[in-house]
């Protein structure tokens, strides 16, 4: 197979992605007071150099209260533009497009890092803005009995927050990002507005399904006012949350958001309760792909598939079956940052090293020409395949 969809370019608005492989937002818990560190350069840089078409920087918070942990990235002030710009420049130098996810943790803010137990933080003297960091949500309903009851946002605070997302988009543009993704999934603030489990407001932001969709709709409008028309806008949804919100609601929401300027729905699941939709079912490759397919077909919008997409031929098949337009590879790219190059080799793509920088792509190419390629087919019991020796 030399002609693949996975390695064909995709243009969205004025941005051309060199292939369909996306590094999804993955939190690094490594910012200092909201500022990126060299860790972020190293982390995103290796994925960009590995050949992905688009690298999306982790959930970056639109206000201080929205930080999930002590190491969240921030974009709630102009002071973040310059250091984020450095990260953008570094990723672009590796010939990848660069996105950023804007987020707010809502009632799941002020928590430990996952490997510290994924539970509410205890007050310590090192956290000098404890009160400022009080978790807020649409309603004063705790995520579960393990979590504190958040403070319900006043109506004016909701309106201020909509503007905060718009301001964050302005800063993301000023920093040079190509793609913006709004985090509307995983039980965080936007999802909390969508779900009737967490949203029991009596104003225009609660009650009917349309009212619960109002916050994300206004956020999208505010973001689009500041985010240039030539740049793509993605929204990540928990297309199924097993708590009253499912593919039908997601497709209806996508239909509302598309004319507001949303280009791609990034189709994830879960997070509004502690019981993930996949629990209790067989966990298998591509488990969220049917959600992407549903939204794509019913809302007539581009989608990104994510979740246990591990192999190149698996990714290619999803695209060929028309189940998604983009493929996000998360944990597998943590395992192998050169996943795109590896997938190109395994799929038999012509010029498999052209997606990576010549500093290493050139040398792998010359080795390949001499018959010592990295494809499994050239390795037979430790001997070169004689037919490939040049
Ligand atoms: C370390 C780590 C951090 C993550 N951080 C975020 C994040 O900031 N925003 C988000 O929407 N999803 C986040 N996710 C979820 C991933 O984007 C992705 O949806 C998930 O890992 C499933 O895809 P996979 O099976 O390819 O890993 C994170 C996942 C991991 C492993």
């Amino acid at each position: 197979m030399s002609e693949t969809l996975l390695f064909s370019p995709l243009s969205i608005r004025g941005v051309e992605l060199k292939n369909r492989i996306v590094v999804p937002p993955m939190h690094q818990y490594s910012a200092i007071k909201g500022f990126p560190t060299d860790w972020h350069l190293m982390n995103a840089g290796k994925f960009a150099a590995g050949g992905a078409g688009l690298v999306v920087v982790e959930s970056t918070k639109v206000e201080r209260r929205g930080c999930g942990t002590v190491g969240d990235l921030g974009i709630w002030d102009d002071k973040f533009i310059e250091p984020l710009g450095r990260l953008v420049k570094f990723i672009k130098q590796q010939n990848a497009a660069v996105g950023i996810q804007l987020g707010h943790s809502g009632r799941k803010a002020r928590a430990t890092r996952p490997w510290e137990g994924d539970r509410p933080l205890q007050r310590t003297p090192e956290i000098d803005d404890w009160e400022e960091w009080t978790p807020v949500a649409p309603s004063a309903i705790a995520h579960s009995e393990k979590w504190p009851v958040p403070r319900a946002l006043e109506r004016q605070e909701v309106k201020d927050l909509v503007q905060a997302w718009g301001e964050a988009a302005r800063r993301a543009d000023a920093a040079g990002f190509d793609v913006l993704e709004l985090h509307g999934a995983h039980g965080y603030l936007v999802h909390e507005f969508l779900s009737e489990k967490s949203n029991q407001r009596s104003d225009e932001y609660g009650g009917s399904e349309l009212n619960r969709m109002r916050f994300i709709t206004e956020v999208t409008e505010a973001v689009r006012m500041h985010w240039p028309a030539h740049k793509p806008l993605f929204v990540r949804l928990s297309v199924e949350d097993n708590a009253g919100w499912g593919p039908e609601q997601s497709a209806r929401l996508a239909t509302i958001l598309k004319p507001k300027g949303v280009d791609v729905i990034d189709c994830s699941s879960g997070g509004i309760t502690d019981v993930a939709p996949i629990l209790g079912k067989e966990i298998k490759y591509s488990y969220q792909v049917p959600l992407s397919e549903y939204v794509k077909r019913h809302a007539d919008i581009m989608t990104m598939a994510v979740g246990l997409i591990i192999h190149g031929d698996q990714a290619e098949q999803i695209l060929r079956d028309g189940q998604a337009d983009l493929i996000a590879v998360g944990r597998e790219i943590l395992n192998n940052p050169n996943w795109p190059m590896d997938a190109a080799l395994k799929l038999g793509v012509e010029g498999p090293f052209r997606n990576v920088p010549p500093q290493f792509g050139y040398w792998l190419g010359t080795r390949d020409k001499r018959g010592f390629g990295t494809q499994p087919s050239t390795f037979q019991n430790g001997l070169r395949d004689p037919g490939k020796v040049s």
Side-chain angles (χ1 to χ4, degrees):
M1 188 192 291
S2 59
E3 288 296 314
T4 62
L5 282 174
L6 192 60
F7 289 94
S8 62
L10 178 68
S11 289
I12 311 176
R13 296 184 184 251
V15 173
E16 187 183 81
L17 307 178
K18 67 182 175 190
N19 58 45
R20 315 290 177 103
I21 302 165
V22 178
V23 180
M26 285 188 280
H27 205 305
Q28 293 303 300
Y29 313 93
S30 302
I32 297 176
K33 291 200 175 289
F35 289 100
T37 60
D38 286 353
W39 174 270
H40 293 92
L41 290 179
M42 182 277 291
N43 180 64
K46 67 184 177 185
F47 301 138
L54 172 66
V55 177
V56 183
V57 171
E58 69 193 67
S59 175
T60 302
K61 302 307 180 313
V62 303
E63 65 164 9
R64 170 65 183 121
R65 284 183 304 192
C67 287
T69 71
V70 284
D72 284 40
L73 280 177
I75 192 162
W76 59 82
D77 192 282
D78 283 1
K79 68 187 177 191
F80 294 110
I81 295 173
E82 197 264 273
L84 285 170
R86 182 169 169 244
L87 184 55
V88 168
K89 206 167 146 207
F90 189 69
I91 296 171
K92 285 191 179 176
Q93 276 168 357
Q94 323 310 324
N95 193 26
V98 52
I100 184 169
Q101 187 186 52
L102 301 183
H104 189 300
S105 297
R107 67 184 184 177
K108 292 206 276 184
R110 217 171 59 183
T112 61
R113 296 174 173 101
W115 56 86
E116 294 163 343
D118 212 3
R119 53 193 151 75
L121 267 178
Q122 297 303 312
R123 189 171 192 154
T124 62
E126 293 86 67
I127 303 169
D128 53 16
D129 59 354
W130 185 258
E131 300 302 338
E132 212 186 305
W133 197 5
T134 300
V136 292
S139 303
I141 301 168
H143 175 69
S144 72
E145 65 281 359
K146 282 194 323 199
W147 289 82
V149 176
R151 187 172 69 68
L153 288 158
E154 306 280 341
R155 185 167 171 275
Q156 186 54 46
E157 284 181 300
V158 178
K159 299 207 169 288
D160 293 345
L161 256 172
V162 167
Q163 295 317 314
W165 287 75
E167 285 295 304
R170 173 183 63 75
R171 294 180 191 115
D173 177 47
F177 286 97
D178 302 306
V179 172
L180 198 63
E181 174 167 287
L182 309 180
H183 196 345
H186 303 167
Y188 298 117
L189 187 76
V190 171
H191 190 180
E192 288 160 18
F193 271 93
L194 295 174
S195 167
E196 47 190 352
K197 259 190 104 61
S198 44
N199 180 353
Q200 293 178 6
R201 297 179 73 89
S202 53
D203 61 11
E204 73 268 38
Y205 293 100
S208 69
E209 182 179 289
L210 260 183
N211 277 0
R212 285 181 279 117
M213 291 176 178
R214 192 179 304 279
F215 182 64
I216 176 73
T217 307
E218 289 185 3
V219 163
T220 302
E221 287 167 345
V223 161
R224 260 293 168 216
M225 292 215 353
H226 294 280
W227 186 244
H230 68 277
K231 293 192 179 184
L233 179 60
F234 293 16
V235 172
R236 175 168 270 201
L237 293 178
S238 283
V239 174
E240 169 64 76
D241 72 6
N242 265 17
W245 180 275
E248 287 170 27
Q249 286 85 347
S250 298
R252 280 201 288 275
L253 177 57
T255 310
I256 293 171
L257 297 182
K258 188 179 169 186
K260 307 270 178 205
V262 170
D263 304 296
V264 174
I265 302 292
D266 173 4
C267 298
S268 191
S269 69
I272 204 74
T273 69
D274 283 336
V275 184
I278 55 163
L279 293 182
K281 292 187 195 155
E282 191 195 353
I283 300 176
K284 50 182 187 184
Y285 288 131
S286 307
Y287 66 98
Q288 291 174 152
V289 171
L291 305 176
S292 162
E293 183 175 15
Y294 187 95
V295 172
K296 187 168 166 52
R297 294 208 194 293
H298 289 81
D300 188 26
I301 192 165
M302 280 190 276
T303 59
M304 178 153 81
V306 65
L308 285 182
I309 302 172
I310 308 249
H311 303 290
D313 54 355
Q314 179 193 1
E316 177 66 15
Q317 197 59 50
I318 294 165
L319 296 173
R320 283 185 184 247
D321 290 345
Q323 295 174 297
D325 300 275
L326 289 164
I327 300 291
V329 180
R331 286 163 294 178
E332 190 54 21
I333 220 155
L334 300 182
N335 176 44
N336 175 11
N338 292 330
W339 188 91
M341 184 178 78
D342 189 47
L345 279 162
K346 287 178 177 157
L347 289 172
V349 170
E350 209 141 321
F353 306 111
R354 68 167 181 224
N355 274 297
V356 299
Q359 287 95 323
F360 61 97
Y362 169 78
W363 298 106
L364 292 170
T366 55
R367 189 184 71 167
D368 200 43
K369 277 197 201 112
R370 294 198 170 94
F372 293 95
T374 24
Q375 293 113 323
S377 62
T378 61
F379 181 81
Q380 294 173 345
N381 302 323
L383 299 170
R384 280 184 297 173
D385 174 351
K388 289 213 107 191
V389 179
S390 55

